[in-house]
């Protein structure tokens, strides 16, 4: 065995800016950063996510509310650190074979669940196996598909893969993969038991969750608040009003149209963080007319990307090119031709499809992303000149992810991105993946992705990932017009670390562990 990492795998360049003038770590406009943390207080936060259909089943988590919940309640084998590298959590260390097909994760001693039960390698195996196999019905199934065997050797869990994967420790940081208690051949997810820094006191889907600090957590450098109240405030006005009035201490998904006014409040701190978050319009490639790539290309050229960045993101982001990979990520294709708004080219592709014009309906709601309905309306206006009659369907916020996303043929979607390309592609672009919201299948793409995953030569991997991005951009069924900075606000009495993570919103959604009252 050769030591690949002992609790840290660097991802240089991961936090590079995704737009000129944006700062990859954070752009605080005030507030307390890098002060000495201290324990105490009840932290209240308003999240722009959450729905009444939410459940504690980790396989079906699909929004930022549940991401934040698991990072407070649960422990994972690994975690993405604020600098973009991967570090140890429930796994104390790991090593890999020379070809990266066998990975050995040593389970940390002394970690206990909130119920008092000691975390064992058996719990780890049960937690991973919960997401494996055709019957798993989990969004994490595709990223675990390369695992052919899991074994236990003393305090170590051994993963055998069907091919090499240099990024495997990143995969195990996925929020769908908490370590939960083994139970009757499966896992106990219904009780809410976990091994994270906070215990769930109450969980009311689509409304609120309350936590209290886990005094028996194995780490002493996380979990500063005594208690936490996390509210689901999908309505943007309600969320902002709650912050201004002092009813909550922090909110995400700010109204970028009024952010300048909010920044004048001397008691509020605003942060803008460039990362992998992107907003999309997903086309069901099985359904007419989206089953014709010429129609998909017409729609991709009928959208004014610069206008969306200006009018929806108000400059807090950058133009996308129909690939889910951020400009700061390793192996980003810098030579891929940038699509621009070109009605004539859109008309050309319609004619290639045998059409002079086309009627389509686009479903959107602010639950998808802040300004999604406005973005759809701008798309509607720009598409007219290309002979595309686009009808905007405003959908209800509650139930959007269960009743609209992947149910209607053309929908607005947000993605937080993933720390490495293989994980993003495996989650949402491989044939049959549960979250392949374009229902897109491409045999060449799937085969090349498997090759790239196993390739250990960085230059060969770069060439492979560049080709994968070109295939997705030119043949895929997802329009990715813009990458959005994470923009959130807090009371200035909230302290934060100097380095703010960008792999998810609000410090990698680990605010419960990393923030405190200053």
């Amino acid at each position: 065995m050769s030591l690949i990492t002992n609790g840290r795998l660097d991802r240089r360049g991961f936090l590079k800016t995704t737009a000129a003038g944006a700062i990859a770590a954070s752009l605080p406009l005030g507030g307390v950063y890098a002060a000495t943390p201290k324990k105490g207080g009840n932290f209240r936060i308003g999240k722009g996510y959450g729905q009444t259909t939410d459940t504690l089943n980790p396989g079906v988590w699909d929004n930022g509310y549940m991401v934040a919940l698991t990072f407070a309640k649960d422990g994972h084998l690994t975690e993405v650190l604020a600098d973009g590298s991967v570090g140890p959590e429930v796994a104390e260390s790991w090593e890999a074979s020379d070809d990266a097909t066998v990975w050995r994760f040593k389970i940390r001693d002394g970690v206990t669940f909130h119920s008092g039960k000691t975390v064992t390698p058996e719990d780890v195996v049960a937690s991973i196996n919960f997401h494996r196999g055709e019957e798993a019905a989990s969004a994490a199934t595709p990223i675990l598909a390369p695992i052919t065997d899991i074994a236990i050797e003393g305090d170590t869990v051994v993963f055998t893969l069907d091919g090499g994967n240099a990024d495997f420790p990143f995969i195990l940081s996925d929020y769908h993969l908490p370590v939960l208690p083994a139970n009757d051949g499966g896992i106990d997810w219904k009780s809410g038991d976990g091994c994270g820094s906070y215990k769930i006191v109450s969980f009311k889907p689509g409304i609120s969750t309350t936590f209290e600090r886990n005094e028996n957590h194995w780490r002493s450098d996380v979990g500063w608040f005594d208690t936490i109240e996390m509210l689901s405030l999908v309505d943007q006005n309600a969320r902002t009003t709650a912050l201004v009035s002092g009813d909550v201490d922090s909110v995400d998904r700010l109204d970028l149209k009024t952010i300048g006014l909010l920044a004048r409040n001397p008691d509020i701190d605003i942060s803008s963080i460039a990362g992998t978050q992107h907003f999309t319009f997903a086309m069901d490639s099985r359904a007419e007319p989206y089953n014709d790539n010429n129609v998909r290309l017409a729609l991709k050229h009928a959208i004014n990307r610069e206008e969306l960045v200006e009018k929806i993101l108000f400059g807090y982001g950058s133009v996308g090119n129909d690939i889910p990979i951020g400009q700061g990520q390793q192996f980003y294709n810098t030579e891929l031709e940038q699509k621009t708004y070109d009605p004539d080219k859109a008309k050309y592709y319609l004619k290639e499809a045998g059409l002079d014009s086309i009627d389509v309906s686009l479903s959107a709601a602010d639950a998808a992303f802040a300004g999604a309905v406005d973005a759809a309306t701008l798309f509607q206006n720009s598409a007219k000149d290309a002979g595309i009659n686009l009808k905007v369907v405003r959908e209800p916020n509650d139930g959007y992810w269960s009743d609209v996303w992947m149910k209607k043929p053309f929908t607005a979607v947000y993605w937080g991105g993933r720390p490495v390309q293989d994980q993003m592609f495996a989650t949402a672009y491989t044939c049959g993946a549960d979250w392949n919201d374009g229902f897109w299948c491409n045999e060449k793409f799937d085969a090349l992705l498997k090759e790239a995953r196993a390739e250990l030569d960085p230059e060969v991997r770069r060439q492979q990932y560049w080709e994968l991005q070109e295939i997705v951009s030119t043949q895929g069924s997802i329009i990715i017009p813009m990458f959005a900075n994470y923009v959130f606000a807090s009371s200035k009495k909230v302290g934060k670390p100097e380095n703010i993570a960008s792999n998810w919103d609000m410090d990698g959604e680990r605010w419960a562990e990393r923030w405190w009252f200053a």
Side-chain angles (χ1 to χ4, degrees):
M1 307 291 283
S2 66
L3 190 66
I4 295 291
T5 177
N6 189 20
R8 192 176 181 88
L9 183 66
D10 289 336
R11 183 61 66 210
R12 289 184 299 176
F14 178 71
L15 290 178
K16 290 179 181 177
T17 180
T18 63
I23 299 176
S26 69
L27 181 62
L29 304 181
V32 181
Y33 287 77
T36 302
K38 61 181 180 180
K39 293 189 175 182
N42 175 50
F43 181 69
R44 303 155 302 168
I45 185 167
K47 298 288 291 178
Y49 307 95
Q51 52 191 359
T52 55
T53 54
D54 285 337
T55 168
L56 293 177
N57 180 348
V60 300
W61 291 337
D62 60 6
N63 63 71
Y65 189 96
M66 301 308 296
V67 177
L69 183 146
T70 187
F71 286 153
K73 176 184 83 75
D74 298 312
H76 298 66
L77 282 175
T78 62
E79 69 169 301
V80 175
L81 304 176
D83 64 359
S85 63
V86 64
E89 198 171 13
V90 174
E92 181 179 274
S93 61
W94 55 85
E95 62 181 18
S97 60
D98 290 335
D99 61 358
T101 61
V102 179
W103 289 83
R104 303 169 60 86
F105 287 78
K106 181 180 179 182
I107 306 307
R108 189 181 302 277
D109 185 41
V111 180
T112 60
F113 291 107
H114 302 150
S115 60
K117 177 188 178 301
T118 299
V119 174
T120 66
E122 288 76 13
D123 296 314
V124 172
V125 173
S127 297
I128 299 300
N129 280 338
F130 178 77
H131 306 273
R132 297 178 66 212
E134 295 181 0
E135 304 301 319
S138 167
T141 299
I143 63 175
L144 299 179
I147 299 175
T148 60
D149 184 66
I150 308 178
I152 296 174
E153 296 179 2
D155 62 356
T156 299
V157 176
V158 183
F159 297 89
T160 301
L161 313 181
D162 61 8
N165 188 347
D167 297 326
F168 188 63
F170 276 97
I171 298 299
L172 297 180
S173 73
D174 189 273
Y175 68 91
H176 294 100
L177 304 177
V179 177
L180 299 178
N183 181 43
D184 293 333
I187 55 172
D188 169 24
W189 57 262
K190 294 182 180 179
S191 69
D193 198 7
C195 60
S197 52
Y198 283 91
K199 306 175 185 179
I200 287 183
V201 177
S202 70
F203 172 59
K204 300 175 182 177
I207 301 173
S208 66
T209 305
T210 57
F211 306 86
E212 65 181 15
R213 185 170 55 234
N214 174 18
E215 298 293 352
N216 295 319
H217 193 248
W218 62 274
R219 291 182 66 178
S220 61
D221 61 342
V222 296
W224 305 102
F225 303 117
D226 290 337
T227 55
I228 294 172
E229 297 175 51
M230 182 167 65
L231 305 176
S232 175
L233 299 175
V234 177
D235 182 83
Q236 195 170 64
N237 290 332
R239 204 162 57 249
T240 305
T241 299
L243 176 68
V244 173
S245 65
D247 291 331
V248 298
D249 302 300
S250 187
V251 298
D252 60 5
R253 306 183 75 186
L254 296 181
D255 182 356
L256 300 181
K257 295 190 295 291
T258 61
I259 197 170
L261 180 62
L262 191 63
R264 298 175 192 169
N265 190 316
D267 299 320
I268 292 176
D269 162 52
I270 296 172
S271 295
S272 175
I273 300 150
T276 57
Q277 177 178 228
H278 50 282
F279 298 157
T280 79
F281 296 113
M283 301 172 281
D284 185 342
S285 61
R286 305 168 304 176
E288 293 184 353
Y290 314 110
N291 57 351
D292 188 328
N293 190 45
N294 285 305
V295 172
R296 300 199 295 265
L297 285 169
L299 286 162
K300 290 177 180 180
H301 286 284
I303 189 167
N304 191 326
R305 300 160 193 262
E306 290 81 2
E307 183 180 40
L308 291 184
V309 172
E310 176 188 352
K311 296 181 178 179
I312 302 300
L313 302 182
F314 291 85
Y316 289 93
S318 60
V319 168
N321 199 21
D322 304 326
I323 56 173
I325 310 304
Q327 294 177 23
Q329 289 186 270
Q330 190 180 36
F331 305 130
Y332 173 79
N333 189 338
T334 58
E335 296 182 4
L336 186 64
E337 183 179 358
Q338 174 65 55
K339 295 189 194 68
T340 59
Y341 175 52
D342 191 334
D344 291 334
K345 186 172 287 189
K347 290 178 181 178
Y348 165 80
Y349 283 115
L350 280 184
K351 287 184 178 180
E352 289 292 297
L355 301 167
D356 292 323
S357 64
I358 195 169
D359 297 328
V360 296
S361 295
L362 174 57
S363 294
D366 285 342
F369 57 84
V373 177
D374 291 341
T377 302
L378 290 173
F379 192 0
Q380 176 187 55
N381 293 335
S382 65
K384 288 178 182 177
D385 291 339
I388 298 173
N389 303 311
L390 191 154
K391 177 184 177 182
V392 177
V393 181
R394 180 188 287 269
E395 304 282 0
N397 284 323
D398 189 43
Y400 183 82
W401 298 109
S402 58
D403 301 332
V404 179
W405 179 57
M406 298 188 71
K407 300 291 193 301
K408 303 291 182 70
F410 197 13
T411 59
V413 190
Y414 88 90
W415 280 91
R418 296 297 186 271
V420 289
Q421 294 193 29
D422 179 75
Q423 188 177 5
M424 186 68 236
F425 284 145
T427 298
Y429 291 83
T430 54
C431 188
D434 281 356
W435 280 9
N436 181 338
D437 52 11
F439 299 94
W440 179 68
C441 286
N442 185 294
E443 291 183 4
K444 182 178 180 180
F445 175 87
D446 287 356
L448 184 58
L449 181 63
K450 189 172 183 178
E451 291 177 16
R453 180 182 301 136
E455 179 58 57
L456 301 181
D457 185 315
E459 178 55 28
V460 176
R461 289 190 92 200
R462 182 190 66 79
Q463 295 173 6
Q464 291 169 328
Y465 280 117
W466 277 34
E467 184 176 353
L468 286 164
Q469 290 168 71
E470 183 176 7
I471 293 172
V472 168
S473 180
T474 58
Q475 301 179 43
S477 57
I478 309 298
I479 302 172
I480 306 178
M482 53 185 164
F483 274 70
N485 289 6
Y486 294 117
V487 185
F488 58 89
S490 306
S491 162
K492 287 190 176 178
K493 65 183 179 181
V494 177
K496 306 181 188 73
E498 183 175 5
N499 197 10
I500 302 293
S502 66
N503 59 305
W504 283 103
D505 201 357
M506 303 192 90
D507 207 355
E509 290 293 7
R510 288 187 176 268
W511 46 266
E513 288 192 336
R514 298 173 180 172
W515 297 2
W516 64 92
F517 281 123

